[in-house]
Amino acid sequence: MIVVQNHIPVNPEFRDEFERRFRERNGDVDKFPGFIRNDILKPVEGNEYIVMTFWKSMEDFRAWTKSQDFHNAHSKKIPEGMFSGKSHLTIHEIIISTEKLE
């Protein structure tokens, strides 16, 4: 399994707008082959949100980034000043995963 993290620095005055955009998204990624899960992490300190997507394989993620669905999902105009810097991706393969047993 692959985890893709998009680190996005958001100016504080745009936090509500940034979060609203994700709540109101059209969900194309949710239906894409190989997609598992999407988590949006809000910073407790600082201004960097992390958008995490989980994929069955790197090939599935790459196919998403080349798809029309990806283009459509990222085509909405962003208000000027929303971001306080450049976003960047980190990609990892899960080799160990644990959960609390009840």
XYZ file of all heavy atoms in Angstrom:
858
model
N 0.853 -1.173 0.000
C 0.000 0.000 0.000
C 0.895 1.232 0.000
O 1.928 1.274 0.646
C -0.909 -0.007 1.234
C -1.876 1.134 1.242
S -2.961 1.278 2.715
C -3.338 -0.388 3.125
N 0.454 2.256 -0.733
C 1.178 3.511 -0.873
C 0.390 4.626 -0.167
O -0.836 4.696 -0.288
C 1.343 3.880 -2.369
C 2.156 2.818 -3.095
C 1.950 5.262 -2.552
C 3.587 2.689 -2.632
N 1.104 5.489 0.550
C 0.499 6.668 1.157
C 1.144 7.897 0.527
O 2.366 8.034 0.552
C 0.714 6.712 2.685
C 0.079 7.957 3.275
C 0.171 5.463 3.346
N 0.315 8.749 -0.039
C 0.787 9.991 -0.642
C 0.341 11.133 0.260
O -0.842 11.247 0.582
C 0.207 10.176 -2.061
C 0.665 11.493 -2.662
C 0.587 8.994 -2.952
N 1.306 11.946 0.680
C 1.003 13.087 1.529
C 1.313 14.364 0.756
O 2.441 14.570 0.317
C 1.843 13.066 2.802
C 1.558 11.886 3.689
C 2.440 11.897 4.919
O 3.646 12.053 4.825
N 1.834 11.724 6.076
N 0.288 15.192 0.600
C 0.472 16.504 -0.005
C 0.505 17.512 1.132
O -0.495 17.714 1.825
C -0.660 16.808 -0.988
C -0.390 18.033 -1.817
O 0.638 18.688 -1.678
N -1.323 18.351 -2.690
N 1.666 18.122 1.364
C 1.870 19.100 2.438
C 1.531 20.475 1.873
O 2.219 20.958 0.968
C 3.321 19.070 2.908
C 3.763 17.716 3.360
N 3.940 17.410 4.686
C 4.065 16.586 2.679
C 4.339 16.148 4.800
N 4.421 15.635 3.586
N 0.481 21.111 2.427
C -0.032 22.345 1.849
C -0.049 23.451 2.911
O -0.847 23.397 3.847
C -1.453 22.143 1.283
C -1.474 20.965 0.305
C -1.957 23.423 0.632
C -2.858 20.556 -0.137
N 0.815 24.461 2.772
C 0.799 25.581 3.720
C -0.343 26.548 3.393
O -0.399 27.101 2.296
C 2.168 26.232 3.528
C 2.577 25.874 2.138
C 1.905 24.568 1.808
N -1.266 26.710 4.340
C -2.459 27.534 4.129
C -2.403 28.738 5.070
O -2.173 28.584 6.272
C -3.740 26.711 4.397
C -4.989 27.574 4.269
C -3.814 25.515 3.447
N -2.611 29.923 4.508
C -2.670 31.122 5.337
C -3.851 31.019 6.302
O -4.934 30.554 5.907
C -2.806 32.376 4.462
C -1.471 32.838 3.921
O -0.481 32.877 4.642
N -1.438 33.175 2.646
N -3.667 31.432 7.558
C -4.709 31.267 8.576
C -6.072 31.823 8.185
O -7.102 31.210 8.484
C -4.142 32.014 9.788
C -2.668 31.987 9.600
C -2.449 32.034 8.110
N -6.115 32.947 7.483
C -7.407 33.546 7.128
C -8.158 32.732 6.066
O -9.335 32.991 5.803
C -7.243 35.001 6.682
C -6.386 35.205 5.462
C -4.891 35.394 5.766
O -4.419 35.002 6.846
O -4.202 35.931 4.887
N -7.506 31.729 5.474
C -8.149 30.900 4.448
C -8.456 29.478 4.932
O -8.873 28.632 4.147
C -7.269 30.834 3.195
C -7.277 32.102 2.398
C -6.271 33.040 2.556
C -8.291 32.362 1.496
C -6.262 34.211 1.826
C -8.295 33.536 0.754
C -7.285 34.465 0.919
N -8.221 29.197 6.214
C -8.446 27.834 6.717
C -9.868 27.346 6.470
O -10.074 26.242 5.990
C -8.126 27.743 8.213
C -6.675 27.642 8.508
C -6.462 27.454 9.989
N -5.111 26.967 10.209
C -4.706 26.378 11.304
N -5.549 26.180 12.301
N -3.462 25.974 11.416
N -10.853 28.168 6.831
C -12.258 27.761 6.656
C -12.568 27.466 5.196
O -13.228 26.467 4.873
C -13.215 28.830 7.190
C -13.192 28.937 8.706
O -12.714 27.984 9.373
O -13.648 29.971 9.232
N -12.095 28.317 4.303
C -12.323 28.126 2.860
C -11.645 26.851 2.370
O -12.230 26.074 1.606
C -11.801 29.346 2.089
C -11.726 29.176 0.586
C -13.076 29.165 -0.104
O -14.093 29.440 0.554
O -13.113 28.862 -1.312
N -10.417 26.623 2.794
C -9.677 25.421 2.398
C -10.427 24.165 2.846
O -10.638 23.245 2.059
C -8.277 25.466 3.018
C -7.403 24.312 2.623
C -6.746 24.303 1.402
C -7.226 23.232 3.486
C -5.932 23.231 1.040
C -6.414 22.161 3.127
C -5.773 22.166 1.900
N -10.859 24.138 4.092
C -11.594 22.981 4.616
C -12.940 22.804 3.923
O -13.352 21.673 3.621
C -11.772 23.130 6.123
C -10.453 23.059 6.873
C -10.573 23.365 8.353
O -11.681 23.218 8.918
O -9.550 23.749 8.955
N -13.631 23.900 3.643
C -14.922 23.835 2.950
C -14.773 23.186 1.575
O -15.578 22.363 1.167
C -15.528 25.235 2.803
C -16.905 25.221 2.124
C -17.401 26.627 1.798
N -16.540 27.330 0.851
C -16.478 27.086 -0.468
N -17.214 26.130 -0.998
N -15.666 27.781 -1.244
N -13.701 23.535 0.878
C -13.469 22.968 -0.450
C -13.367 21.440 -0.391
O -13.852 20.749 -1.286
C -12.212 23.561 -1.077
C -12.396 24.974 -1.544
C -11.061 25.615 -1.931
N -11.300 26.858 -2.607
C -11.278 27.012 -3.926
N -11.004 26.012 -4.722
N -11.524 28.180 -4.462
N -12.747 20.920 0.644
C -12.649 19.464 0.768
C -13.977 18.844 1.183
O -14.333 17.762 0.715
C -11.530 19.067 1.738
C -10.191 19.045 1.067
C -9.341 20.133 1.156
C -9.795 17.956 0.302
C -8.118 20.131 0.509
C -8.580 17.944 -0.350
C -7.742 19.038 -0.239
N -14.727 19.521 2.048
C -16.040 18.994 2.438
C -16.998 18.951 1.242
O -17.847 18.069 1.152
C -16.648 19.833 3.557
C -16.114 19.493 4.939
C -16.953 20.139 6.029
N -16.838 21.588 6.027
C -15.843 22.275 6.572
N -14.857 21.639 7.163
N -15.825 23.586 6.523
N -16.849 19.899 0.321
C -17.764 20.012 -0.825
C -17.188 19.434 -2.115
O -17.764 19.623 -3.180
C -18.135 21.483 -1.034
C -18.914 22.063 0.117
C -19.199 23.545 -0.022
O -18.798 24.151 -1.052
O -19.822 24.098 0.902
N -16.090 18.711 -2.020
C -15.460 18.156 -3.225
C -16.395 17.159 -3.897
O -17.299 16.609 -3.265
C -14.125 17.504 -2.877
C -14.269 16.277 -2.013
C -12.926 15.810 -1.472
N -13.110 14.644 -0.652
C -13.207 13.405 -1.116
N -13.138 13.166 -2.409
N -13.393 12.391 -0.301
N -16.156 16.901 -5.190
C -17.046 16.005 -5.932
C -16.734 14.529 -5.710
O -17.513 13.664 -6.092
C -17.067 16.351 -7.423
C -15.704 16.197 -8.070
O -14.766 15.691 -7.461
N -15.594 16.636 -9.306
N -15.609 14.191 -5.119
C -15.326 12.806 -4.744
C -14.886 11.893 -5.868
O -14.996 10.672 -5.735
N -14.369 12.441 -6.963
C -13.920 11.593 -8.069
C -12.854 10.596 -7.623
O -12.851 9.452 -8.069
C -13.371 12.437 -9.218
C -14.471 13.138 -10.001
O -15.635 12.708 -9.907
O -14.156 14.115 -10.701
N -11.968 11.017 -6.756
C -10.890 10.112 -6.327
C -11.459 8.898 -5.599
O -10.915 7.796 -5.687
C -9.841 10.852 -5.452
C -10.401 11.227 -4.087
C -8.580 10.016 -5.300
N -12.557 9.074 -4.896
C -13.147 7.972 -4.119
C -13.563 6.791 -4.997
O -13.630 5.658 -4.515
C -14.367 8.458 -3.339
C -14.049 9.594 -2.371
O -12.859 9.890 -2.161
O -14.992 10.197 -1.841
N -13.846 7.070 -6.248
C -14.309 6.037 -7.181
C -13.193 5.516 -8.076
O -13.411 4.618 -8.875
C -15.433 6.595 -8.053
C -16.653 7.055 -7.258
C -17.626 7.795 -8.144
C -17.402 9.264 -7.911
N -18.158 10.196 -8.605
N -12.003 6.077 -7.934
C -10.924 5.736 -8.859
C -10.322 4.370 -8.523
O -10.120 4.053 -7.347
C -9.830 6.816 -8.829
C -9.029 6.864 -10.085
C -9.499 7.518 -11.202
C -7.820 6.205 -10.156
C -8.769 7.540 -12.377
C -7.075 6.218 -11.321
C -7.550 6.887 -12.437
N -10.017 3.541 -9.528
C -9.428 2.219 -9.268
C -8.139 2.317 -8.448
O -7.271 3.144 -8.724
C -9.123 1.680 -10.672
C -10.054 2.412 -11.575
C -10.217 3.785 -10.965
N -8.048 1.505 -7.416
C -6.869 1.457 -6.565
C -6.906 2.406 -5.381
O -6.070 2.311 -4.480
N -7.872 3.328 -5.362
C -7.996 4.257 -4.247
C -8.521 3.527 -3.021
O -9.425 2.706 -3.116
C -8.947 5.401 -4.604
C -9.256 6.310 -3.446
C -8.378 7.300 -3.074
C -10.428 6.157 -2.728
C -8.661 8.143 -2.001
C -10.719 6.987 -1.664
C -9.833 7.979 -1.297
N -7.953 3.840 -1.850
C -8.390 3.213 -0.599
C -9.030 4.227 0.340
O -10.138 4.008 0.837
C -7.211 2.517 0.109
C -6.677 1.391 -0.784
C -7.616 2.004 1.479
C -5.384 0.779 -0.303
N -8.328 5.338 0.601
C -8.801 6.260 1.635
C -8.185 7.639 1.430
O -7.105 7.773 0.880
C -8.394 5.707 2.997
C -8.942 6.457 4.174
C -8.707 5.704 5.471
N -7.560 6.272 6.165
C -6.620 5.560 6.768
N -6.652 4.250 6.736
N -5.644 6.142 7.398
N -8.874 8.658 1.938
C -8.407 10.035 1.894
C -8.576 10.634 3.286
O -9.670 10.596 3.843
C -9.247 10.811 0.875
C -8.766 12.213 0.627
O -7.657 12.584 0.971
N -9.622 13.012 0.021
N -7.501 11.156 3.865
C -7.550 11.834 5.155
C -7.008 13.244 4.980
O -5.972 13.440 4.340
C -6.683 11.120 6.204
C -7.197 9.744 6.570
O -8.409 9.504 6.470
O -6.372 8.901 6.975
N -7.699 14.216 5.566
C -7.231 15.594 5.553
C -6.823 15.924 6.985
O -7.649 15.880 7.899
C -8.331 16.585 5.096
C -9.027 16.104 3.816
C -7.753 17.985 4.955
C -8.143 15.920 2.639
N -5.538 16.249 7.178
C -5.016 16.545 8.506
C -4.888 18.051 8.685
O -4.217 18.731 7.899
C -3.649 15.889 8.700
C -3.572 14.384 8.412
C -2.155 13.876 8.675
C -4.581 13.618 9.241
N -5.549 18.570 9.715
C -5.511 19.992 10.044
C -4.390 20.224 11.046
O -4.270 19.491 12.032
C -6.850 20.409 10.650
C -6.942 21.862 11.033
C -8.321 22.163 11.586
C -8.447 23.630 11.945
N -9.837 23.935 12.347
N -3.560 21.239 10.825
C -2.451 21.463 11.756
C -2.936 21.911 13.131
O -3.829 22.747 13.244
C -1.638 22.564 11.079
C -2.602 23.268 10.188
C -3.609 22.239 9.759
N -2.342 21.331 14.167
C -2.582 21.773 15.532
C -1.673 22.967 15.821
O -2.053 23.901 16.519
C -2.317 20.619 16.527
C -2.428 21.087 17.963
C -3.280 19.457 16.259
N -0.493 22.924 15.257
C 0.455 24.034 15.322
C 0.944 24.307 13.899
O 1.068 23.393 13.102
C 1.641 23.686 16.213
C 1.272 23.477 17.665
C 2.460 23.106 18.526
O 3.585 22.986 17.993
O 2.264 22.935 19.736
N 1.239 25.552 13.608
C 1.721 25.885 12.279
C 0.585 26.030 11.288
O -0.580 26.145 11.661
N 0.924 25.999 10.000
C -0.079 26.267 8.965
C -0.124 25.203 7.876
O -0.757 25.399 6.855
C 0.194 27.635 8.327
C 1.501 27.658 7.548
O 2.374 26.819 7.738
N 1.635 28.636 6.672
N 0.545 24.063 8.084
C 0.638 23.063 7.022
C -0.419 21.959 7.179
O -0.365 21.165 8.112
C 2.031 22.440 7.008
C 2.248 21.527 5.819
C 3.672 21.027 5.749
O 4.503 21.725 5.149
O 3.933 19.954 6.312
N -1.381 21.965 6.267
C -2.333 20.865 6.180
C -1.641 19.717 5.449
O -0.741 19.935 4.637
C -3.569 21.268 5.373
C -4.556 22.108 6.142
C -4.325 23.457 6.374
C -5.731 21.557 6.627
C -5.231 24.238 7.068
C -6.652 22.324 7.325
C -6.390 23.659 7.539
O -7.301 24.422 8.229
N -2.094 18.499 5.713
C -1.593 17.351 4.972
C -2.799 16.604 4.415
O -3.706 16.215 5.153
C -0.731 16.419 5.841
C 0.490 17.182 6.358
C -0.303 15.188 5.031
C 1.368 16.398 7.291
N -2.813 16.456 3.111
C -3.842 15.677 2.434
C -3.219 14.318 2.142
O -2.266 14.211 1.373
C -4.300 16.369 1.132
C -5.339 15.518 0.411
C -4.845 17.764 1.439
N -3.749 13.283 2.801
C -3.199 11.933 2.657
C -4.152 11.077 1.846
O -5.337 10.993 2.163
C -2.995 11.279 4.033
C -1.903 11.919 4.828
S -1.619 11.225 6.494
C -2.077 9.544 6.379
N -3.615 10.453 0.809
C -4.397 9.468 0.065
C -3.670 8.134 0.145
O -2.443 8.071 0.105
C -4.616 9.875 -1.405
O -3.367 10.168 -2.015
C -5.546 11.070 -1.508
N -4.446 7.083 0.278
C -3.931 5.725 0.379
C -4.311 4.978 -0.894
O -5.474 5.040 -1.322
C -4.541 5.016 1.597
C -4.129 5.612 2.916
C -4.637 6.830 3.335
C -3.229 4.946 3.737
C -4.258 7.384 4.555
C -2.849 5.486 4.954
C -3.356 6.709 5.356
N -3.332 4.284 -1.470
C -3.504 3.604 -2.759
C -3.021 2.172 -2.669
O -2.065 1.870 -1.954
C -2.706 4.342 -3.844
C -3.178 5.739 -4.039
C -2.758 6.854 -3.391
C -4.212 6.164 -4.926
N -3.456 7.948 -3.826
C -4.357 7.548 -4.765
C -5.024 5.496 -5.840
C -5.280 8.292 -5.488
C -5.934 6.231 -6.560
C -6.062 7.617 -6.386
N -3.650 1.297 -3.451
C -3.201 -0.097 -3.507
C -1.791 -0.201 -4.058
O -1.014 -1.047 -3.634
C -4.164 -0.941 -4.340
C -5.493 -1.160 -3.670
C -6.396 -2.043 -4.508
C -7.738 -2.211 -3.816
N -8.666 -2.997 -4.645
N -1.449 0.670 -5.022
C -0.119 0.604 -5.634
C 0.295 1.978 -6.153
O -0.543 2.869 -6.339
C -0.114 -0.386 -6.801
O -0.857 0.148 -7.894
N 1.568 2.107 -6.409
C 2.093 3.333 -7.003
C 1.523 3.536 -8.401
O 1.242 4.664 -8.811
C 3.631 3.262 -7.040
C 4.295 4.553 -7.389
S 4.007 5.777 -6.091
C 4.671 7.208 -6.884
N 1.326 2.459 -9.121
C 0.752 2.539 -10.467
C -0.658 3.130 -10.422
O -1.039 3.915 -11.293
C 0.731 1.159 -11.135
C 2.104 0.615 -11.450
C 2.869 0.078 -10.223
O 2.241 -0.273 -9.198
O 4.109 0.045 -10.297
N -1.434 2.744 -9.399
C -2.787 3.292 -9.258
C -2.729 4.795 -9.009
O -3.495 5.565 -9.601
C -3.533 2.610 -8.110
C -3.867 1.163 -8.408
O -4.126 0.823 -9.580
O -3.873 0.363 -7.449
N -1.833 5.233 -8.137
C -1.691 6.664 -7.862
C -1.269 7.414 -9.131
O -1.827 8.462 -9.465
C -0.680 6.916 -6.738
C -0.317 8.364 -6.600
C -1.259 9.301 -6.191
C 0.963 8.807 -6.907
C -0.927 10.648 -6.088
C 1.304 10.148 -6.805
C 0.356 11.072 -6.391
N -0.293 6.881 -9.837
C 0.166 7.540 -11.070
C -0.953 7.638 -12.109
O -1.080 8.650 -12.807
C 1.366 6.802 -11.643
C 2.626 7.061 -10.851
C 3.856 6.491 -11.534
N 5.031 6.757 -10.735
C 5.923 5.854 -10.393
N 5.798 4.598 -10.798
N 6.962 6.177 -9.655
N -1.755 6.582 -12.208
C -2.882 6.600 -13.149
C -3.867 7.714 -12.763
O -4.392 8.416 -13.640
C -3.576 5.243 -13.178
N -4.103 7.880 -11.471
C -4.977 8.956 -10.999
C -4.440 10.322 -11.435
O -5.180 11.150 -11.952
C -5.126 8.873 -9.488
C -5.583 10.140 -8.819
C -4.855 10.935 -7.983
C -6.876 10.754 -8.917
N -5.609 12.009 -7.573
C -6.855 11.921 -8.127
C -8.043 10.445 -9.604
C -7.948 12.767 -8.005
C -9.137 11.283 -9.484
C -9.083 12.432 -8.694
N -3.147 10.554 -11.252
C -2.584 11.869 -11.565
C -2.608 12.174 -13.061
O -2.499 13.338 -13.445
C -1.141 12.014 -11.040
O -0.282 11.088 -11.709
C -1.076 11.820 -9.542
N -2.744 11.148 -13.892
C -2.785 11.350 -15.349
C -4.214 11.341 -15.901
O -4.406 11.484 -17.108
C -1.963 10.255 -16.034
C -0.482 10.354 -15.687
C 0.295 9.199 -16.264
C 1.756 9.296 -15.835
N 2.531 8.145 -16.237
N -5.187 11.187 -15.015
C -6.572 11.027 -15.460
C -7.302 12.357 -15.625
O -6.921 13.386 -15.043
C -7.345 10.165 -14.454
O -7.576 10.895 -13.254
N -8.374 12.319 -16.388
C -9.248 13.479 -16.525
C -9.924 13.784 -15.188
O -10.153 14.946 -14.853
C -10.299 13.237 -17.620
C -11.175 14.447 -17.895
C -10.399 15.650 -18.397
O -9.550 15.536 -19.264
N -10.683 16.824 -17.856
N -10.231 12.760 -14.412
C -10.829 12.960 -13.091
C -9.909 13.798 -12.197
O -10.361 14.680 -11.470
C -11.122 11.622 -12.408
C -12.274 10.870 -13.053
O -13.142 11.519 -13.660
O -12.292 9.632 -12.941
N -8.602 13.521 -12.230
C -7.632 14.297 -11.465
C -7.655 15.753 -11.923
O -7.709 16.675 -11.105
C -6.229 13.702 -11.634
C -5.143 14.491 -10.950
C -4.829 14.264 -9.621
C -4.421 15.453 -11.646
C -3.826 14.988 -8.987
C -3.415 16.175 -11.033
C -3.115 15.944 -9.692
N -7.612 15.933 -13.223
C -7.648 17.290 -13.772
C -8.909 18.025 -13.313
O -8.839 19.176 -12.878
C -7.576 17.249 -15.307
C -7.720 18.598 -15.929
N -6.723 19.553 -15.911
C -8.775 19.164 -16.561
C -7.160 20.642 -16.509
N -8.396 20.428 -16.917
N -10.048 17.359 -13.391
C -11.311 17.971 -12.973
C -11.290 18.315 -11.482
O -11.767 19.379 -11.074
C -12.483 17.042 -13.265
C -12.713 16.837 -14.744
O -12.198 17.577 -15.590
N -13.461 15.801 -15.078
N -10.738 17.424 -10.666
C -10.701 17.640 -9.224
C -9.819 18.817 -8.829
O -10.005 19.408 -7.766
C -10.222 16.366 -8.528
N -8.865 19.161 -9.679
C -7.932 20.238 -9.359
C -8.128 21.483 -10.234
O -7.253 22.340 -10.294
C -6.492 19.727 -9.494
C -6.167 18.685 -8.494
N -6.408 17.340 -8.714
C -5.639 18.770 -7.250
C -6.032 16.665 -7.652
N -5.573 17.499 -6.744
N -9.273 21.592 -10.892
C -9.485 22.694 -11.827
C -10.162 23.916 -11.217
O -10.193 24.969 -11.841
C -10.308 22.200 -13.028
O -11.602 21.813 -12.602
N -10.670 23.795 -9.998
C -11.362 24.918 -9.362
C -10.349 26.011 -9.007
O -9.324 25.743 -8.402
C -12.086 24.431 -8.110
C -13.159 25.330 -7.624
C -13.947 24.655 -6.510
C -15.118 25.498 -6.101
N -15.870 24.878 -5.025
N -10.662 27.248 -9.392
C -9.763 28.384 -9.141
C -9.548 28.572 -7.643
O -10.480 28.528 -6.857
C -10.333 29.639 -9.770
C -9.405 30.837 -9.705
C -9.960 31.960 -10.557
C -9.291 33.277 -10.422
N -7.931 33.413 -10.173
N -8.299 28.790 -7.277
C -7.909 28.997 -5.882
C -7.847 30.499 -5.606
O -7.252 31.251 -6.396
C -6.516 28.368 -5.610
C -6.502 26.886 -5.960
C -6.066 28.621 -4.185
C -7.395 26.028 -5.114
N -8.433 30.962 -4.495
C -8.335 32.392 -4.175
C -6.875 32.816 -3.989
O -6.086 32.087 -3.387
C -9.088 32.517 -2.844
C -9.931 31.297 -2.743
C -9.225 30.228 -3.507
N -6.534 33.965 -4.510
C -5.173 34.486 -4.351
C -4.882 34.690 -2.866
O -5.714 35.212 -2.124
C -5.017 35.795 -5.108
C -3.583 36.261 -5.144
C -3.364 37.387 -6.125
O -4.110 37.484 -7.110
O -2.431 38.158 -5.873
N -3.721 34.235 -2.444
C -3.308 34.389 -1.057
C -3.671 33.223 -0.159
O -3.361 33.240 1.034
N -4.341 32.208 -0.691
C -4.736 31.067 0.146
C -3.514 30.336 0.699
O -3.509 29.910 1.848
C -5.614 30.089 -0.630
C -6.002 28.849 0.193
S -7.133 27.730 -0.648
C -8.692 28.524 -0.259
N -2.487 30.205 -0.127
C -1.323 29.424 0.281
C -0.182 30.335 0.729
O 0.077 31.368 0.125
C -0.865 28.515 -0.857
C -1.962 27.597 -1.327
C -2.342 27.585 -2.655
C -2.620 26.767 -0.438
C -3.363 26.752 -3.086
C -3.644 25.936 -0.863
C -4.010 25.928 -2.189
N 0.505 29.905 1.789
C 1.602 30.711 2.333
C 2.960 30.217 1.846
O 3.989 30.700 2.289
C 1.552 30.686 3.860
O 1.669 29.364 4.340
N 2.954 29.272 0.940
C 4.182 28.729 0.377
C 3.839 27.643 -0.620
O 2.672 27.421 -0.943
N 4.871 26.961 -1.094
C 4.672 25.878 -2.064
C 4.298 24.587 -1.358
O 4.833 24.269 -0.299
C 5.934 25.659 -2.882
C 6.206 26.735 -3.887
C 7.316 26.306 -4.819
C 7.221 27.137 -6.079
N 7.432 26.363 -7.264
N 3.413 23.843 -1.977
C 3.094 22.510 -1.467
C 4.140 21.530 -1.976
O 4.845 21.804 -2.950
C 1.692 22.081 -1.907
O 1.625 21.958 -3.306
N 4.236 20.397 -1.297
C 5.141 19.345 -1.765
C 4.588 17.978 -1.365
O 3.844 17.853 -0.392
C 6.572 19.544 -1.241
C 6.715 19.315 0.228
N 6.408 20.273 1.158
C 7.123 18.233 0.920
C 6.629 19.791 2.363
N 7.059 18.563 2.255
N 4.945 16.983 -2.155
C 4.493 15.608 -1.909
C 5.568 14.793 -1.219
O 6.765 14.975 -1.481
C 4.183 14.890 -3.229
C 2.990 15.335 -4.048
C 2.864 14.449 -5.284
C 1.709 15.307 -3.248
N 5.120 13.885 -0.351
C 5.964 12.807 0.130
C 5.176 11.525 -0.117
O 3.955 11.494 0.017
C 6.337 12.940 1.627
O 5.143 13.013 2.400
C 7.184 14.174 1.882
N 5.878 10.480 -0.519
C 5.228 9.212 -0.851
C 5.957 8.100 -0.113
O 7.190 8.032 -0.153
C 5.246 8.956 -2.373
C 4.553 10.116 -3.103
C 4.590 7.624 -2.704
C 4.652 10.056 -4.615
N 5.172 7.263 0.552
C 5.748 6.159 1.322
C 4.981 4.869 1.047
O 3.796 4.899 0.742
C 5.671 6.447 2.829
C 6.476 7.628 3.245
N 5.980 8.908 3.202
C 7.742 7.716 3.696
C 6.909 9.747 3.632
N 7.988 9.053 3.926
N 5.690 3.778 1.202
C 5.068 2.459 1.161
C 4.885 1.993 2.601
O 5.807 2.085 3.409
C 5.968 1.481 0.412
C 5.384 0.089 0.323
C 6.278 -0.866 -0.447
O 7.408 -0.497 -0.811
O 5.820 -1.993 -0.663
N 3.692 1.509 2.918
C 3.447 0.987 4.262
C 4.083 -0.394 4.361
O 3.779 -1.283 3.561
C 1.942 0.912 4.571
C 1.356 2.322 4.601
C 1.702 0.194 5.902
C -0.136 2.359 4.805
N 4.967 -0.547 5.343
C 5.588 -1.858 5.551
C 5.111 -2.507 6.843
O 5.168 -3.725 6.978
C 7.133 -1.780 5.523
C 7.656 -0.843 6.604
C 7.615 -1.342 4.142
C 9.145 -0.928 6.821
N 4.642 -1.686 7.779
C 4.089 -2.192 9.039
C 2.909 -1.284 9.420
O 3.019 -0.077 9.349
C 5.133 -2.171 10.178
C 6.317 -3.067 9.831
C 4.504 -2.592 11.499
C 7.486 -2.915 10.773
N 1.819 -1.896 9.845
C 0.662 -1.136 10.293
C 0.064 -1.853 11.493
O -0.104 -3.081 11.464
C -0.362 -1.053 9.157
O -1.486 -0.306 9.571
N -0.212 -1.113 12.538
C -0.811 -1.709 13.733
C -2.055 -0.931 14.124
O -2.204 0.239 13.783
C 0.172 -1.725 14.924
O 0.488 -0.386 15.270
C 1.440 -2.472 14.576
N -2.943 -1.589 14.832
C -4.148 -0.960 15.380
C -4.355 -1.473 16.791
O -3.982 -2.600 17.101
C -5.365 -1.297 14.536
C -5.339 -0.699 13.159
C -6.634 -0.974 12.383
O -7.705 -1.008 13.032
O -6.537 -1.156 11.173
N -4.961 -0.646 17.609
C -5.276 -1.043 18.977
C -6.337 -2.145 18.944
O -7.355 -2.031 18.270
C -5.787 0.150 19.779
C -6.102 -0.204 21.201
C -6.601 1.013 21.947
C -6.943 0.616 23.358
N -7.432 1.751 24.136
N -6.076 -3.193 19.664
C -7.049 -4.280 19.786
C -7.909 -4.027 21.012
O -7.416 -3.727 22.076
C -6.324 -5.630 19.924
C -5.408 -5.993 18.745
C -4.676 -7.296 19.056
C -6.220 -6.141 17.484
N -9.187 -4.131 20.857
C -10.119 -3.902 21.974
C -10.384 -5.205 22.684
O -10.486 -6.240 22.190
C -11.423 -3.303 21.438
C -11.232 -1.956 20.792
C -10.958 -0.810 21.774
O -11.396 -0.862 22.929
O -10.276 0.121 21.361
